[in-house]
Amino acid sequence: MTAKAARPQQSLASLATVARDAGVSVATVSRIVNGKAGRASADTIARVEEAIVRLGYRPNPVGRALKRRASRVVAMLAPNLDNPAMAAIAVSTEAALRDAGFVMILCDTHDRADLQDDYLRAMRDQFVAGYVMVSAVRSPGLADALKRGDPMVFVARRNPLGGGAYVGIDNRAAGADAADHLLARGIDSTAVLMAAENASSTAERADGFVDRLIARGFPVDRIRRASAPGLSHIEIGYAAARNMVAAGGWPDSALCVSDMIAYGAYRLAAESAVAIPERCALIGIDGNAINRWIAPWLTSIRIPYEHFGQYVVAQLRSLWSGAATQEVNVPHDPPPMIERLSA
């Protein structure tokens, strides 16, 4: 199911507000609110109860539900669901959650921080048990959720604020495998096509690619980078390829940091009567299932998105139980081995 972002609700007094007003600790207020006054004096209890009434404090049912994991609903926030890679992650995660007895709500953030925060607020109001943050971006709402300790698993792109449970691939290794594949073709020049506002995951792919080429003795002056702004990877691929051509023509190969970027580059090549892969061999990273239907010209490193869901659920279970989480790098499939082409 797809959720709509809700408008922010008017904030109520918090535990901290009540604690400041009554001159006690937040822990003391929490115990009194939950009927566990312990060694608190009658005077302290009275001050806290008076502050609660005067300030209009109401216990946060969402926080209680999250803490007790009473909800069986998990929210996935992901950008650009028209991207086959994002859709594949959603399908895998929904199936794994369903098998575990959970329902998943799917929200498309369009890679926008404001929409991400709208959905974080809306999902908190829905008593969700946790969040699956696919390619999350830095935002105030994300920082607040992490500070609260809301259960979150970051997928495909690491937590932009650092730390946290993660499920993805070793992006640098994927980039290095792409370099090895092109070197096996006997390439003479190459380029990297990427977004100007590059995410950590695709930046790591580009760096792994370039570093492997240099380590294997490929001339640095024959490696170019071309980028373009935007959110749609198809449009970015088209514009980045156009910038690449304007700066020095077509190389005989190029890494596209996603398959969608490769689709955009191919469109420009077709318009320019540049044969792919004969004139310029493109290699992508995703391995979208539709490639065999629409992009037989593309070699792509396949990411097994169909396995991501099981790791996401395992990470959520660790968060719910208070156990340590880890970074999970799911093994990707390297490109097919080829015979080195003669010059």
Side-chain angles (χ1 to χ4, degrees):
M1 63 184 74
T2 301
K4 294 183 178 179
R7 293 181 179 178
Q9 297 180 344
Q10 185 176 1
S11 60
L12 301 173
S14 67
L15 281 176
T17 305
V18 174
R20 284 195 302 270
D21 189 88
V24 298
S25 70
V26 172
T28 296
V29 175
S30 179
R31 286 194 295 269
I32 292 172
V33 166
N34 288 287
K36 300 176 181 179
R39 292 179 291 178
S41 68
D43 178 66
T44 296
I45 295 173
R47 289 204 318 274
V48 169
E49 290 178 344
E50 189 275 333
I52 287 172
V53 173
R54 180 162 39 80
L55 296 173
Y57 170 76
R58 288 189 300 169
N60 186 342
V62 178
R64 288 182 171 184
L66 286 172
K67 187 173 182 180
R68 297 171 184 171
R69 197 162 60 85
S71 171
R72 306 299 291 179
V73 178
V74 171
M76 171 180 280
L77 278 64
N80 308 321
L81 292 174
D82 57 348
N83 183 330
M86 297 294 107
I89 293 172
V91 168
S92 171
T93 305
E94 189 278 332
L97 284 167
R98 179 168 20 93
D99 288 344
F102 289 82
V103 173
M104 187 179 87
I105 297 178
L106 180 59
C107 311
D108 191 339
T109 66
H110 298 279
D111 239 346
R112 287 172 44 188
D114 60 330
L115 279 181
Q116 179 175 281
D117 283 355
D118 282 348
Y119 281 126
L120 285 171
R121 283 189 291 267
M123 293 302 99
R124 189 166 171 78
D125 288 345
Q126 295 299 316
F127 300 85
V128 297
Y131 302 85
V132 181
M133 305 296 294
V134 183
S135 297
V137 297
R138 184 184 296 267
S139 71
L142 178 62
D144 290 343
L146 290 168
K147 185 181 295 185
R148 285 192 303 266
D150 293 351
M152 286 189 167
V153 178
F154 294 88
V155 181
R157 186 187 300 168
R158 288 179 175 81
N159 179 3
L161 300 175
Y166 168 76
V167 175
I169 66 165
D170 184 335
N171 287 292
R172 289 188 63 90
D177 284 346
D180 289 339
H181 178 82
L182 292 181
L183 288 170
R185 290 181 60 94
I187 60 170
D188 184 66
S189 59
T190 194
V192 180
L193 301 181
M194 57 204 301
E197 298 85 10
N198 217 35
S200 59
S201 54
T202 50
E204 289 168 2
R205 295 173 187 179
D207 290 344
F209 177 75
V210 172
D211 290 349
R212 177 60 63 87
L213 289 174
I214 293 173
R216 292 191 56 185
F218 195 83
V220 177
D221 61 357
R222 296 182 186 175
I223 306 171
R224 288 187 281 151
R225 293 184 188 239
S227 62
L231 295 177
S232 166
H233 270 208
I234 286 184
E235 294 175 2
I236 289 170
Y238 183 90
R242 187 171 55 198
N243 292 338
M244 174 187 71
V245 172
W250 286 89
D252 62 16
S253 63
L255 167 68
C256 302
V257 295
S258 73
D259 284 2
M260 295 282 278
I261 283 181
Y263 302 161
Y266 180 80
R267 171 63 180 265
L268 181 69
E271 292 175 356
S272 307
V274 172
I276 304 292
E278 294 80 9
R279 171 63 182 82
C280 178
L282 298 180
I283 184 165
I285 300 178
D286 275 326
N288 290 333
I290 61 173
N291 285 356
R292 68 190 185 96
W293 297 99
I294 68 168
W297 43 267
L298 177 64
T299 297
S300 185
I301 293 173
R302 196 181 81 85
I303 301 175
Y305 293 120
E306 68 274 14
H307 298 319
F308 275 32
Q310 60 183 305
Y311 296 108
V312 170
V313 172
Q315 294 275 50
L316 282 171
R317 290 191 186 280
S318 294
L319 289 166
W320 289 328
S321 67
T325 58
Q326 58 185 328
E327 288 198 357
V328 176
N329 283 322
V330 183
H332 61 270
D333 297 338
M337 297 298 294
I338 61 174
E339 295 290 336
R340 183 180 175 87
L341 301 180
S342 58

PDB file of all heavy atoms in Angstrom, residues 143-180:
ATOM      1  N   ALA A 143      17.083  12.968  11.648  1.00  0.00           N
ATOM      2  CA  ALA A 143      17.910  13.176  12.839  1.00  0.00           C
ATOM      3  C   ALA A 143      17.080  13.002  14.112  1.00  0.00           C
ATOM      4  O   ALA A 143      17.532  12.379  15.078  1.00  0.00           O
ATOM      5  CB  ALA A 143      18.540  14.565  12.801  1.00  0.00           C
ATOM      6  N   ASP A 144      15.856  13.528  14.106  1.00  0.00           N
ATOM      7  CA  ASP A 144      14.984  13.395  15.277  1.00  0.00           C
ATOM      8  C   ASP A 144      14.628  11.939  15.531  1.00  0.00           C
ATOM      9  O   ASP A 144      14.614  11.481  16.680  1.00  0.00           O
ATOM     10  CB  ASP A 144      13.705  14.211  15.084  1.00  0.00           C
ATOM     11  CG  ASP A 144      13.949  15.713  15.123  1.00  0.00           C
ATOM     12  OD1 ASP A 144      15.023  16.120  15.620  1.00  0.00           O
ATOM     13  OD2 ASP A 144      13.080  16.468  14.644  1.00  0.00           O
ATOM     14  N   ALA A 145      14.314  11.207  14.471  1.00  0.00           N
ATOM     15  CA  ALA A 145      13.934   9.800  14.621  1.00  0.00           C
ATOM     16  C   ALA A 145      15.091   8.971  15.176  1.00  0.00           C
ATOM     17  O   ALA A 145      14.889   8.099  16.024  1.00  0.00           O
ATOM     18  CB  ALA A 145      13.479   9.236  13.273  1.00  0.00           C
ATOM     19  N   LEU A 146      16.287   9.256  14.702  1.00  0.00           N
ATOM     20  CA  LEU A 146      17.455   8.532  15.200  1.00  0.00           C
ATOM     21  C   LEU A 146      17.725   8.878  16.657  1.00  0.00           C
ATOM     22  O   LEU A 146      18.091   8.007  17.462  1.00  0.00           O
ATOM     23  CB  LEU A 146      18.674   8.858  14.337  1.00  0.00           C
ATOM     24  CG  LEU A 146      18.649   8.289  12.913  1.00  0.00           C
ATOM     25  CD1 LEU A 146      19.746   8.917  12.064  1.00  0.00           C
ATOM     26  CD2 LEU A 146      18.809   6.774  12.937  1.00  0.00           C
ATOM     27  N   LYS A 147      17.522  10.143  17.019  1.00  0.00           N
ATOM     28  CA  LYS A 147      17.727  10.565  18.404  1.00  0.00           C
ATOM     29  C   LYS A 147      16.732   9.867  19.333  1.00  0.00           C
ATOM     30  O   LYS A 147      17.075   9.506  20.458  1.00  0.00           O
ATOM     31  CB  LYS A 147      17.587  12.083  18.512  1.00  0.00           C
ATOM     32  CG  LYS A 147      17.902  12.630  19.903  1.00  0.00           C
ATOM     33  CD  LYS A 147      17.724  14.147  19.942  1.00  0.00           C
ATOM     34  CE  LYS A 147      18.728  14.841  19.054  1.00  0.00           C
ATOM     35  NZ  LYS A 147      18.640  16.330  19.165  1.00  0.00           N
ATOM     36  N   ARG A 148      15.508   9.668  18.837  1.00  0.00           N
ATOM     37  CA  ARG A 148      14.500   8.974  19.642  1.00  0.00           C
ATOM     38  C   ARG A 148      14.806   7.488  19.774  1.00  0.00           C
ATOM     39  O   ARG A 148      14.279   6.806  20.633  1.00  0.00           O
ATOM     40  CB  ARG A 148      13.108   9.121  19.007  1.00  0.00           C
ATOM     41  CG  ARG A 148      12.463  10.474  19.182  1.00  0.00           C
ATOM     42  CD  ARG A 148      10.997  10.413  18.781  1.00  0.00           C
ATOM     43  NE  ARG A 148      10.815   9.957  17.404  1.00  0.00           N
ATOM     44  CZ  ARG A 148      10.704  10.770  16.368  1.00  0.00           C
ATOM     45  NH1 ARG A 148      10.758  12.080  16.537  1.00  0.00           N
ATOM     46  NH2 ARG A 148      10.531  10.286  15.152  1.00  0.00           N
ATOM     47  N   GLY A 149      15.630   6.978  18.868  1.00  0.00           N
ATOM     48  CA  GLY A 149      15.920   5.548  18.882  1.00  0.00           C
ATOM     49  C   GLY A 149      14.911   4.721  18.119  1.00  0.00           C
ATOM     50  O   GLY A 149      14.796   3.508  18.351  1.00  0.00           O
ATOM     51  N   ASP A 150      14.168   5.356  17.180  1.00  0.00           N
ATOM     52  CA  ASP A 150      13.214   4.598  16.373  1.00  0.00           C
ATOM     53  C   ASP A 150      13.954   3.511  15.589  1.00  0.00           C
ATOM     54  O   ASP A 150      15.014   3.778  15.006  1.00  0.00           O
ATOM     55  CB  ASP A 150      12.487   5.517  15.387  1.00  0.00           C
ATOM     56  CG  ASP A 150      11.566   6.511  16.094  1.00  0.00           C
ATOM     57  OD1 ASP A 150      11.368   6.365  17.318  1.00  0.00           O
ATOM     58  OD2 ASP A 150      11.057   7.425  15.420  1.00  0.00           O
ATOM     59  N   PRO A 151      13.424   2.285  15.528  1.00  0.00           N
ATOM     60  CA  PRO A 151      14.100   1.199  14.805  1.00  0.00           C
ATOM     61  C   PRO A 151      14.178   1.504  13.308  1.00  0.00           C
ATOM     62  O   PRO A 151      13.149   1.656  12.654  1.00  0.00           O
ATOM     63  CB  PRO A 151      13.217  -0.019  15.082  1.00  0.00           C
ATOM     64  CG  PRO A 151      12.406   0.347  16.276  1.00  0.00           C
ATOM     65  CD  PRO A 151      12.186   1.825  16.187  1.00  0.00           C
ATOM     66  N   MET A 152      15.386   1.583  12.775  1.00  0.00           N
ATOM     67  CA  MET A 152      15.578   1.922  11.363  1.00  0.00           C
ATOM     68  C   MET A 152      16.651   1.044  10.747  1.00  0.00           C
ATOM     69  O   MET A 152      17.725   0.867  11.321  1.00  0.00           O
ATOM     70  CB  MET A 152      16.010   3.385  11.208  1.00  0.00           C
ATOM     71  CG  MET A 152      14.926   4.389  11.432  1.00  0.00           C
ATOM     72  SD  MET A 152      15.479   6.053  10.958  1.00  0.00           S
ATOM     73  CE  MET A 152      13.902   6.905  10.943  1.00  0.00           C
ATOM     74  N   VAL A 153      16.351   0.536   9.556  1.00  0.00           N
ATOM     75  CA  VAL A 153      17.345  -0.180   8.762  1.00  0.00           C
ATOM     76  C   VAL A 153      17.557   0.606   7.475  1.00  0.00           C
ATOM     77  O   VAL A 153      16.596   0.930   6.768  1.00  0.00           O
ATOM     78  CB  VAL A 153      16.885  -1.618   8.424  1.00  0.00           C
ATOM     79  CG1 VAL A 153      17.918  -2.313   7.548  1.00  0.00           C
ATOM     80  CG2 VAL A 153      16.639  -2.416   9.692  1.00  0.00           C
ATOM     81  N   PHE A 154      18.802   0.920   7.171  1.00  0.00           N
ATOM     82  CA  PHE A 154      19.132   1.664   5.957  1.00  0.00           C
ATOM     83  C   PHE A 154      19.518   0.674   4.858  1.00  0.00           C
ATOM     84  O   PHE A 154      20.304  -0.253   5.096  1.00  0.00           O
ATOM     85  CB  PHE A 154      20.261   2.653   6.238  1.00  0.00           C
ATOM     86  CG  PHE A 154      19.849   3.739   7.187  1.00  0.00           C
ATOM     87  CD1 PHE A 154      19.969   3.569   8.556  1.00  0.00           C
ATOM     88  CD2 PHE A 154      19.296   4.916   6.713  1.00  0.00           C
ATOM     89  CE1 PHE A 154      19.550   4.559   9.438  1.00  0.00           C
ATOM     90  CE2 PHE A 154      18.874   5.914   7.582  1.00  0.00           C
ATOM     91  CZ  PHE A 154      19.008   5.731   8.947  1.00  0.00           C
ATOM     92  N   VAL A 155      18.952   0.882   3.674  1.00  0.00           N
ATOM     93  CA  VAL A 155      19.122  -0.061   2.577  1.00  0.00           C
ATOM     94  C   VAL A 155      19.663   0.672   1.356  1.00  0.00           C
ATOM     95  O   VAL A 155      19.213   1.772   1.026  1.00  0.00           O
ATOM     96  CB  VAL A 155      17.786  -0.750   2.229  1.00  0.00           C
ATOM     97  CG1 VAL A 155      17.964  -1.751   1.085  1.00  0.00           C
ATOM     98  CG2 VAL A 155      17.211  -1.449   3.454  1.00  0.00           C
ATOM     99  N   ALA A 156      20.632   0.026   0.688  1.00  0.00           N
ATOM    100  CA  ALA A 156      21.230   0.510  -0.568  1.00  0.00           C
ATOM    101  C   ALA A 156      22.157   1.706  -0.376  1.00  0.00           C
ATOM    102  O   ALA A 156      23.189   1.807  -1.035  1.00  0.00           O
ATOM    103  CB  ALA A 156      20.161   0.842  -1.612  1.00  0.00           C
ATOM    104  N   ARG A 157      21.790   2.615   0.507  1.00  0.00           N
ATOM    105  CA  ARG A 157      22.622   3.779   0.822  1.00  0.00           C
ATOM    106  C   ARG A 157      22.752   3.857   2.340  1.00  0.00           C
ATOM    107  O   ARG A 157      21.764   3.764   3.049  1.00  0.00           O
ATOM    108  CB  ARG A 157      21.975   5.047   0.270  1.00  0.00           C
ATOM    109  CG  ARG A 157      22.781   6.318   0.398  1.00  0.00           C
ATOM    110  CD  ARG A 157      21.963   7.537  -0.042  1.00  0.00           C
ATOM    111  NE  ARG A 157      21.523   7.451  -1.427  1.00  0.00           N
ATOM    112  CZ  ARG A 157      20.613   8.260  -1.981  1.00  0.00           C
ATOM    113  NH1 ARG A 157      20.038   9.206  -1.245  1.00  0.00           N
ATOM    114  NH2 ARG A 157      20.266   8.126  -3.240  1.00  0.00           N
ATOM    115  N   ARG A 158      23.961   4.035   2.829  1.00  0.00           N
ATOM    116  CA  ARG A 158      24.162   4.088   4.275  1.00  0.00           C
ATOM    117  C   ARG A 158      23.488   5.308   4.895  1.00  0.00           C
ATOM    118  O   ARG A 158      23.167   6.272   4.212  1.00  0.00           O
ATOM    119  CB  ARG A 158      25.659   4.090   4.600  1.00  0.00           C
ATOM    120  CG  ARG A 158      26.335   2.754   4.356  1.00  0.00           C
ATOM    121  CD  ARG A 158      27.828   2.807   4.662  1.00  0.00           C
ATOM    122  NE  ARG A 158      28.449   1.506   4.531  1.00  0.00           N
ATOM    123  CZ  ARG A 158      28.823   0.962   3.370  1.00  0.00           C
ATOM    124  NH1 ARG A 158      28.628   1.644   2.251  1.00  0.00           N
ATOM    125  NH2 ARG A 158      29.376  -0.229   3.330  1.00  0.00           N
ATOM    126  N   ASN A 159      23.287   5.231   6.187  1.00  0.00           N
ATOM    127  CA  ASN A 159      22.710   6.342   6.937  1.00  0.00           C
ATOM    128  C   ASN A 159      23.493   7.619   6.642  1.00  0.00           C
ATOM    129  O   ASN A 159      24.692   7.698   6.929  1.00  0.00           O
ATOM    130  CB  ASN A 159      22.764   6.008   8.436  1.00  0.00           C
ATOM    131  CG  ASN A 159      22.217   7.118   9.310  1.00  0.00           C
ATOM    132  OD1 ASN A 159      21.743   8.140   8.828  1.00  0.00           O
ATOM    133  ND2 ASN A 159      22.302   6.916  10.607  1.00  0.00           N
ATOM    134  N   PRO A 160      22.859   8.640   6.066  1.00  0.00           N
ATOM    135  CA  PRO A 160      23.585   9.880   5.736  1.00  0.00           C
ATOM    136  C   PRO A 160      24.095  10.610   6.970  1.00  0.00           C
ATOM    137  O   PRO A 160      24.962  11.477   6.856  1.00  0.00           O
ATOM    138  CB  PRO A 160      22.546  10.707   4.979  1.00  0.00           C
ATOM    139  CG  PRO A 160      21.230  10.184   5.439  1.00  0.00           C
ATOM    140  CD  PRO A 160      21.442   8.720   5.684  1.00  0.00           C
ATOM    141  N   LEU A 161      23.569  10.257   8.155  1.00  0.00           N
ATOM    142  CA  LEU A 161      24.025  10.876   9.400  1.00  0.00           C
ATOM    143  C   LEU A 161      25.002   9.986  10.148  1.00  0.00           C
ATOM    144  O   LEU A 161      25.450  10.337  11.234  1.00  0.00           O
ATOM    145  CB  LEU A 161      22.812  11.202  10.282  1.00  0.00           C
ATOM    146  CG  LEU A 161      21.799  12.162   9.653  1.00  0.00           C
ATOM    147  CD1 LEU A 161      20.579  12.325  10.546  1.00  0.00           C
ATOM    148  CD2 LEU A 161      22.442  13.511   9.383  1.00  0.00           C
ATOM    149  N   GLY A 162      25.325   8.831   9.573  1.00  0.00           N
ATOM    150  CA  GLY A 162      26.330   7.951  10.153  1.00  0.00           C
ATOM    151  C   GLY A 162      25.751   6.880  11.052  1.00  0.00           C
ATOM    152  O   GLY A 162      24.789   7.104  11.775  1.00  0.00           O
ATOM    153  N   GLY A 163      26.363   5.681  10.981  1.00  0.00           N
ATOM    154  CA  GLY A 163      25.982   4.582  11.855  1.00  0.00           C
ATOM    155  C   GLY A 163      24.690   3.920  11.431  1.00  0.00           C
ATOM    156  O   GLY A 163      24.108   4.206  10.383  1.00  0.00           O
ATOM    157  N   GLY A 164      24.222   2.991  12.259  1.00  0.00           N
ATOM    158  CA  GLY A 164      22.945   2.344  12.012  1.00  0.00           C
ATOM    159  C   GLY A 164      23.065   1.031  11.256  1.00  0.00           C
ATOM    160  O   GLY A 164      24.102   0.707  10.681  1.00  0.00           O
ATOM    161  N   ALA A 165      21.965   0.289  11.269  1.00  0.00           N
ATOM    162  CA  ALA A 165      21.894  -0.986  10.554  1.00  0.00           C
ATOM    163  C   ALA A 165      21.837  -0.729   9.052  1.00  0.00           C
ATOM    164  O   ALA A 165      21.160   0.193   8.593  1.00  0.00           O
ATOM    165  CB  ALA A 165      20.664  -1.758  11.009  1.00  0.00           C
ATOM    166  N   TYR A 166      22.530  -1.558   8.269  1.00  0.00           N
ATOM    167  CA  TYR A 166      22.640  -1.330   6.825  1.00  0.00           C
ATOM    168  C   TYR A 166      22.568  -2.647   6.078  1.00  0.00           C
ATOM    169  O   TYR A 166      23.143  -3.652   6.506  1.00  0.00           O
ATOM    170  CB  TYR A 166      23.955  -0.621   6.506  1.00  0.00           C
ATOM    171  CG  TYR A 166      24.322  -0.589   5.031  1.00  0.00           C
ATOM    172  CD1 TYR A 166      23.671   0.285   4.160  1.00  0.00           C
ATOM    173  CD2 TYR A 166      25.293  -1.433   4.513  1.00  0.00           C
ATOM    174  CE1 TYR A 166      23.996   0.322   2.807  1.00  0.00           C
ATOM    175  CE2 TYR A 166      25.624  -1.403   3.162  1.00  0.00           C
ATOM    176  CZ  TYR A 166      24.971  -0.531   2.313  1.00  0.00           C
ATOM    177  OH  TYR A 166      25.287  -0.499   0.978  1.00  0.00           O
ATOM    178  N   VAL A 167      21.865  -2.637   4.941  1.00  0.00           N
ATOM    179  CA  VAL A 167      21.840  -3.768   4.010  1.00  0.00           C
ATOM    180  C   VAL A 167      22.105  -3.223   2.616  1.00  0.00           C
ATOM    181  O   VAL A 167      21.411  -2.301   2.158  1.00  0.00           O
ATOM    182  CB  VAL A 167      20.480  -4.495   4.037  1.00  0.00           C
ATOM    183  CG1 VAL A 167      20.441  -5.601   2.977  1.00  0.00           C
ATOM    184  CG2 VAL A 167      20.195  -5.080   5.419  1.00  0.00           C
ATOM    185  N   GLY A 168      23.104  -3.765   1.934  1.00  0.00           N
ATOM    186  CA  GLY A 168      23.436  -3.315   0.588  1.00  0.00           C
ATOM    187  C   GLY A 168      24.479  -4.230  -0.010  1.00  0.00           C
ATOM    188  O   GLY A 168      24.563  -5.412   0.336  1.00  0.00           O
ATOM    189  N   ILE A 169      25.266  -3.682  -0.913  1.00  0.00           N
ATOM    190  CA  ILE A 169      26.370  -4.434  -1.495  1.00  0.00           C
ATOM    191  C   ILE A 169      27.677  -3.697  -1.215  1.00  0.00           C
ATOM    192  O   ILE A 169      27.673  -2.555  -0.746  1.00  0.00           O
ATOM    193  CB  ILE A 169      26.211  -4.625  -3.025  1.00  0.00           C
ATOM    194  CG1 ILE A 169      26.295  -3.267  -3.760  1.00  0.00           C
ATOM    195  CG2 ILE A 169      24.920  -5.352  -3.345  1.00  0.00           C
ATOM    196  CD1 ILE A 169      26.501  -3.404  -5.259  1.00  0.00           C
ATOM    197  N   ASP A 170      28.784  -4.349  -1.521  1.00  0.00           N
ATOM    198  CA  ASP A 170      30.086  -3.691  -1.471  1.00  0.00           C
ATOM    199  C   ASP A 170      30.229  -2.918  -2.785  1.00  0.00           C
ATOM    200  O   ASP A 170      30.617  -3.478  -3.811  1.00  0.00           O
ATOM    201  CB  ASP A 170      31.192  -4.727  -1.316  1.00  0.00           C
ATOM    202  CG  ASP A 170      32.572  -4.096  -1.151  1.00  0.00           C
ATOM    203  OD1 ASP A 170      32.766  -2.949  -1.602  1.00  0.00           O
ATOM    204  OD2 ASP A 170      33.462  -4.758  -0.589  1.00  0.00           O
ATOM    205  N   ASN A 171      29.871  -1.644  -2.760  1.00  0.00           N
ATOM    206  CA  ASN A 171      29.819  -0.849  -3.985  1.00  0.00           C
ATOM    207  C   ASN A 171      31.187  -0.636  -4.613  1.00  0.00           C
ATOM    208  O   ASN A 171      31.321  -0.609  -5.837  1.00  0.00           O
ATOM    209  CB  ASN A 171      29.146   0.493  -3.693  1.00  0.00           C
ATOM    210  CG  ASN A 171      27.651   0.353  -3.476  1.00  0.00           C
ATOM    211  OD1 ASN A 171      26.912   0.045  -4.406  1.00  0.00           O
ATOM    212  ND2 ASN A 171      27.203   0.568  -2.250  1.00  0.00           N
ATOM    213  N   ARG A 172      32.203  -0.492  -3.782  1.00  0.00           N
ATOM    214  CA  ARG A 172      33.555  -0.340  -4.334  1.00  0.00           C
ATOM    215  C   ARG A 172      33.974  -1.605  -5.082  1.00  0.00           C
ATOM    216  O   ARG A 172      34.587  -1.527  -6.156  1.00  0.00           O
ATOM    217  CB  ARG A 172      34.559  -0.017  -3.232  1.00  0.00           C
ATOM    218  CG  ARG A 172      34.422   1.382  -2.637  1.00  0.00           C
ATOM    219  CD  ARG A 172      35.580   1.677  -1.683  1.00  0.00           C
ATOM    220  NE  ARG A 172      36.859   1.663  -2.388  1.00  0.00           N
ATOM    221  CZ  ARG A 172      37.415   2.724  -2.962  1.00  0.00           C
ATOM    222  NH1 ARG A 172      36.810   3.901  -2.903  1.00  0.00           N
ATOM    223  NH2 ARG A 172      38.569   2.619  -3.577  1.00  0.00           N
ATOM    224  N   ALA A 173      33.649  -2.752  -4.523  1.00  0.00           N
ATOM    225  CA  ALA A 173      33.998  -4.009  -5.189  1.00  0.00           C
ATOM    226  C   ALA A 173      33.241  -4.156  -6.503  1.00  0.00           C
ATOM    227  O   ALA A 173      33.793  -4.671  -7.497  1.00  0.00           O
ATOM    228  CB  ALA A 173      33.702  -5.188  -4.259  1.00  0.00           C
ATOM    229  N   ALA A 174      31.994  -3.706  -6.535  1.00  0.00           N
ATOM    230  CA  ALA A 174      31.227  -3.762  -7.776  1.00  0.00           C
ATOM    231  C   ALA A 174      31.870  -2.881  -8.846  1.00  0.00           C
ATOM    232  O   ALA A 174      31.974  -3.267 -10.021  1.00  0.00           O
ATOM    233  CB  ALA A 174      29.787  -3.335  -7.525  1.00  0.00           C
ATOM    234  N   GLY A 175      32.312  -1.690  -8.458  1.00  0.00           N
ATOM    235  CA  GLY A 175      33.002  -0.824  -9.401  1.00  0.00           C
ATOM    236  C   GLY A 175      34.295  -1.439  -9.896  1.00  0.00           C
ATOM    237  O   GLY A 175      34.636  -1.337 -11.088  1.00  0.00           O
ATOM    238  N   ALA A 176      35.025  -2.092  -9.005  1.00  0.00           N
ATOM    239  CA  ALA A 176      36.274  -2.756  -9.397  1.00  0.00           C
ATOM    240  C   ALA A 176      36.003  -3.889 -10.375  1.00  0.00           C
ATOM    241  O   ALA A 176      36.753  -4.088 -11.357  1.00  0.00           O
ATOM    242  CB  ALA A 176      36.995  -3.278  -8.153  1.00  0.00           C
ATOM    243  N   ASP A 177      34.925  -4.649 -10.162  1.00  0.00           N
ATOM    244  CA  ASP A 177      34.579  -5.725 -11.090  1.00  0.00           C
ATOM    245  C   ASP A 177      34.241  -5.170 -12.470  1.00  0.00           C
ATOM    246  O   ASP A 177      34.561  -5.783 -13.496  1.00  0.00           O
ATOM    247  CB  ASP A 177      33.381  -6.514 -10.541  1.00  0.00           C
ATOM    248  CG  ASP A 177      33.764  -7.449  -9.403  1.00  0.00           C
ATOM    249  OD1 ASP A 177      34.974  -7.686  -9.205  1.00  0.00           O
ATOM    250  OD2 ASP A 177      32.847  -7.942  -8.711  1.00  0.00           O
ATOM    251  N   ALA A 178      33.588  -4.006 -12.502  1.00  0.00           N
ATOM    252  CA  ALA A 178      33.277  -3.374 -13.785  1.00  0.00           C
ATOM    253  C   ALA A 178      34.565  -3.002 -14.520  1.00  0.00           C
ATOM    254  O   ALA A 178      34.676  -3.178 -15.742  1.00  0.00           O
ATOM    255  CB  ALA A 178      32.414  -2.134 -13.564  1.00  0.00           C
ATOM    256  N   ALA A 179      35.550  -2.498 -13.780  1.00  0.00           N
ATOM    257  CA  ALA A 179      36.839  -2.150 -14.392  1.00  0.00           C
ATOM    258  C   ALA A 179      37.521  -3.387 -14.953  1.00  0.00           C
ATOM    259  O   ALA A 179      38.043  -3.373 -16.081  1.00  0.00           O
ATOM    260  CB  ALA A 179      37.728  -1.473 -13.352  1.00  0.00           C
ATOM    261  N   ASP A 180      37.530  -4.468 -14.191  1.00  0.00           N
ATOM    262  CA  ASP A 180      38.159  -5.705 -14.662  1.00  0.00           C
ATOM    263  C   ASP A 180      37.503  -6.203 -15.951  1.00  0.00           C
ATOM    264  O   ASP A 180      38.185  -6.677 -16.870  1.00  0.00           O
ATOM    265  CB  ASP A 180      38.069  -6.784 -13.583  1.00  0.00           C
ATOM    266  CG  ASP A 180      38.988  -6.510 -12.393  1.00  0.00           C
ATOM    267  OD1 ASP A 180      39.965  -5.744 -12.558  1.00  0.00           O
ATOM    268  OD2 ASP A 180      38.714  -7.054 -11.311  1.00  0.00           O
TER     269      ASP A 180
END
